Every structure is written in C-alpha cells, then in structure tokens.
Amino acid sequence: MEVALKLDPVSPIALYRQIYDGLRDGIIGGRFEAGTKLPASRALAASLGVSRITVTECYERLISEGYLETRRGSGTFVSTRLPEWDMYATNSTVALVPQVESDVPKRLSRYGQFLDAPLRPPVPPEIIRLDSHGPDVGAFPIKLWTRLLVRRMQEGALSLLQYTQEWSGSTELRTAVAHYLRVSRAVVCDPSQIIITSGSQQALYFAARIFLDPSDYAAMEAPGYRFAGRIFASQGATVLPIPVDRSGMQISQLKKHNDKAIKLVYVTPSHQYPRGVSLSVSRRIELLTWAKETGALILEDDYDSEYRYNERPLPSIQGMVPDAPVLYVGTFSKLLFPTLRLGYLVVPPGFQNMFTGAKLLCDFQSSSIDQRILTDFLTEGHLEPYVRKMRIIYGNRRTVLVESLQKHFGRKVTVYGDNAGMHFLADFEIELSEQDAFDRAVAAGIRVERLYWPAPCELQRPGHVQFVFTFAAVNENDLALAAERLAGAFLA
C-alpha cells in the first residue's frame, strides 16, 4: 500500500519532520486506523522520493513514542493503543468526532437537492425489528449455495472475473427467469425482454429515470411503498396518490386524473404494500383498459407473490392480455437473501435497448458470479423446495404474530390484508397519536413501520393508529414478546 504525504522540498521544515508530522497527524486524526500496516521503509522512501535513512528515522521515532509498533516477520503497524488514549481517564474506545459542515459550495441539481436530507440513524441491534423487509437468512441453504459457487469457480473462474458484454444479464439467467415466470406467475415473455437489475429498487429507478420528466405525473397507491414514491419524486415528477380499499387500487379514482396525462402508474397487485390486499380481477382488467386508452405504462411490482398461505397463486397483470403496457418487476433479494442484489424487469418488445443502456450507464453489469450461481439454483430445481419450506415457516410466524396481537389487544386491534406475503397492516384503537405510539414502541424495544402517504392525503381516524408489521426475519418467541411489549406500551 502506498502512502500519500504532502511534502514541500523548498520548505524550511526538514523533509524528515514533514514525513514525521504527516504520519503522526494521520494516525491521531484517524486516517491510519489502529492495526493498519505501513509500507516498508524502502518502499515508502521510493514512493516519496527521499532516502531510506530519512524514513527509517521517522519510523523509529514514532515507534519510540508509541504511535507505531513492529511485529517480527510482518512489518510496521499503527499501534493498537495510541499514547493519547492514556492521557484521559476512560474505559471506552475513541468516539468519532462529528464533522463540521464544509464551506465547499453545494451546486446541486434538483435531484441532488432532493437527496440532501439526513438519513435515518442506525437501529440498535437489541431492538426487535418488525420493520425489516428481508427474509430469514438463517434458513437459507448456504452449504448448497457454496457448493454451486465452488463448482462455477472451478469450471471458469477467469471468465467470471472479467467484464461481460451481456449488459442486460447473462443469457443463461434470463432464460431461467423467463421459464420461472411463465410457470409460476403466468408472465408472457421471452428472455430478450428481461433485464437483470441490482434488485427491484434499481428496476424502479430505471423506469422513473427513463420515462419521467419534471413536468410529468406518476400515480401510485396510497398508502404505498415509500421508496417508489421517493424515486418518482426524485425525478421531479408529481406523484398522485390513488386510494386503496379491500379490492386494491381504486381505478375509478385514477380515472379522475385523466386530464393530467399520467405516464406511469405504480401498483403492487398481488399483495398491496402495505395494506396486503390483492387487486381484484375486474380492476386489473379496468386498469389495463385505462392504460391502453391513455397511453400510460403500468409498473407492476411483484415483490413477494411466492408467499401465499392456503391461498391460490395470482397471475400477473402483465400476462392477462397480449401486448400489455406493463413493466413487470421482481426480485430474488427478498426471496433468497438481501445481499443477493439481483432482480429483474420484464419490458414490452422494443423497450430493451433503453433499459439495457440504463443498466450500462448505471453500473455496467450485475455480478457475473452471482448470476451464474442463481442460474444453477433455478435450473437444478432448488428454488421450489426452498420456497415451500419458507412458506411454512413464514405462515407460522404470521399466525403467531397475529394471534399474539389479538391475545393482548383483543378487539382493539384489526389486522388487514390477505393471508399472504411477509408483512401485514395492523390498526390499533388507542388514544395516542402515531408519533407517540411509535416512540413508545421504540422505548419498549420494538421497531414498527409507519405508513407512507405519497401526498397530503392521509385519512385521519380519531382514536386509531396504523403500523406495518414484518415478520419473516423474526423468530416466533420474539414475535410473541413484541406483541406483549407493544400492549404494555400502547395500553398503559
């Protein structure tokens, strides 16, 4: 590792002192973390253009002062305990000092201005996360996945480490995904219509980036998926909230905006997020008819349709009619494990070039290694038994959480949505505001998710508070404990 130090040959300060000060300041300031290995004196001298004796003297002084330490046969390292630490009475590690706002001017685009907001702070690990939308990674067949990885690496390691020209995804994986979707979701497509993305989030971003300008309108369910609304708004589009009832998005309310030339309408028809209902067949047909008449595109997000408990699977909107004006989105990140950043977008014929170009400009390609392993996982028949197993686990967890809430809240809680998916919506009849209830839940060690309304359209119900509950990644004991704690927090 080379070390960059600012040296001034014409300065009255000797080079030895400049190197010493640069290293010492870097160690104290955290640039060189504890345990970092520094270059050998000969290598550092060559990179800085100074004599080795100069560097050796600096290292020896820093070692004598306790900033560096040597390890026999390994080299020179930043000390694991700095001399400054012993000057203060403390038994904790050095805390990071918050940085003062920079004076560098922010010449932001509209997109940059939209994003320039504080992010949500990390959630402490001891909190029971009922707002975490990932699957249970503990039940994933990691040994099987590792075996597939080893086999692929042994067969063609060099090719998997190189760039590819299959920017829309490997032909093998797109063929496997097309077969999977035709069988399980009644999606009508061939492999050329599939774009492999870095999760469904990237697919939504591509759709917004390609089709939405600042003067455009996009419609979505209300309440709805927070990040979809933020993605549309980040492009400067106006987001129109469309109410949801027990049959899904109210298409009649969508039609009231026909004067606005809506470009995109975002729906989660198989398991609406967050109310958990499915879009009825009659409304699906009505939505398709409306889209063809207006020239709008339907963005169908099918994020967890594999998990329906004692209910028949629902076909996609995309496959209901020929030449459907639908962009169909799905993901394996939620189905298998979150760090598998592989999703897919099924586009109508003629849309491939623009989405492949967007993928190329964004991140060039998704991981070739992950694509090949996932291909084997699909084609060798491992996905179906895994989903069957997880469907039982998640179904049991949903039952435990619902019954535990009903046990502690009785008639003061109502659970909405189909017996499906990895989340549900719960309505509490309590005399608390949403903020107060949320704060009390956090104080009790429970993190729930608040509803997202795309625009100021929330329908206030006096004496009622609603939260989203996820349950897939939480064990049954913690789910029961969470319900008990929430009752103590909300009903006290």
Side-chain angles (χ1 to χ4, degrees), residues 432 435-446 486 488-492:
L432 294 172
Q435 184 63 56
D436 288 342
F438 181 83
D439 291 342
R440 288 193 181 194
V442 172
I446 311 298
L486 286 176
F490 289 176
L491 301 178

Side-chain angles (χ1 to χ4, degrees), residues 101-338:
E101 185 79 13
S102 171
D103 291 332
V104 177
K106 294 180 180 178
R107 303 180 65 183
L108 301 177
S109 65
R110 178 179 298 187
Y111 178 71
Q113 294 171 10
F114 179 85
L115 295 180
D116 189 22
L119 298 177
R120 190 174 72 178
V123 179
E126 65 273 11
I127 293 284
I128 297 178
R129 298 292 302 273
L130 299 181
D131 66 337
S132 180
H133 290 271
D136 183 359
V137 296
F140 184 74
I142 189 66
K143 291 184 179 179
L144 168 63
W145 192 266
T146 302
R147 178 168 59 82
L148 298 177
L149 166 63
V150 171
R151 187 179 68 190
R152 278 288 187 170
M153 293 300 291
Q154 290 174 341
E155 292 174 351
L158 292 181
S159 64
L160 295 180
L161 301 180
Q162 296 174 343
Y163 285 118
T164 177
Q165 295 188 52
E166 294 185 301
W167 301 302
S168 57
S170 77
T171 301
E172 286 181 308
L173 179 56
R174 288 186 289 126
T175 300
V177 171
H179 174 75
Y180 167 69
L181 293 178
R182 283 195 297 267
V183 173
S184 66
R185 305 295 301 119
V187 170
V188 179
C189 69
D190 62 57
S192 68
Q193 293 175 249
I194 295 176
I195 312 295
I196 300 300
T197 60
S198 297
S200 60
Q201 202 83 348
Q202 188 179 66
L204 299 182
Y205 178 77
F206 285 165
R209 187 71 170 156
I210 289 171
F211 293 109
L212 295 178
D213 287 318
S215 60
D216 291 330
Y217 290 89
M220 66 175 292
E221 302 152 326
Y225 179 45
R226 182 182 311 275
F227 283 102
R230 286 181 57 82
I231 287 172
F232 302 148
S234 74
Q235 299 305 308
T238 300
V239 181
L240 302 173
I242 310 300
V244 173
D245 60 21
R246 293 184 178 181
S247 297
M249 174 184 277
Q250 298 179 28
I251 311 303
S252 60
Q253 298 299 313
L254 176 65
K255 292 179 178 179
K256 292 182 179 181
H257 297 285
N258 280 353
D259 60 320
K260 297 183 175 65
I262 297 171
K263 275 194 173 181
L264 282 179
V265 54
Y266 173 79
V267 290
T268 51
S270 293
H271 189 231
Q272 197 274 332
Y273 187 84
R275 290 184 63 91
V277 298
S278 57
L279 188 64
S280 66
V281 173
S282 61
R283 289 192 182 179
R284 290 172 184 233
I285 296 173
E286 189 179 5
L287 176 61
L288 281 165
T289 302
W290 170 86
K292 287 198 169 186
E293 290 175 349
T294 62
L297 280 171
I298 300 169
L299 189 52
E300 179 180 6
D301 189 351
D302 201 2
Y303 61 95
D304 70 354
S305 61
E306 289 82 2
Y307 295 120
R308 300 190 69 80
Y309 316 116
N310 303 319
E311 297 189 8
R312 64 181 178 85
L314 297 172
S316 65
I317 293 179
Q318 190 271 359
M320 292 185 68
V321 298
D323 300 321
V326 176
L327 303 171
Y328 180 87
V329 176
T331 180
F332 291 102
S333 302
K334 186 177 290 292
L335 185 60
L336 300 179
F337 55 93

Side-chain angles (χ1 to χ4, degrees), residues 462-478:
H464 289 262
V465 175
Q466 295 183 339
F467 291 111
V468 182
F469 286 77
T470 63
F471 49 82
V474 185
N475 65 62
E476 295 180 9
N477 289 336
D478 281 348

Side-chain angles (χ1 to χ4, degrees), residues 395-410 413-416 418-419 423-426 469 471 479-480 483:
N396 290 339
R397 290 179 179 176
R398 186 184 191 278
T399 298
V400 167
L401 183 54
V402 170
E403 291 181 351
S404 297
L405 288 173
Q406 292 172 339
K407 172 185 174 182
H408 293 287
F409 285 92
V413 65
T414 302
V415 174
Y416 291 100
D418 299 344
N419 188 18
H423 78 274
F424 60 76
L425 179 68
F469 286 77
F471 49 82
L479 291 172

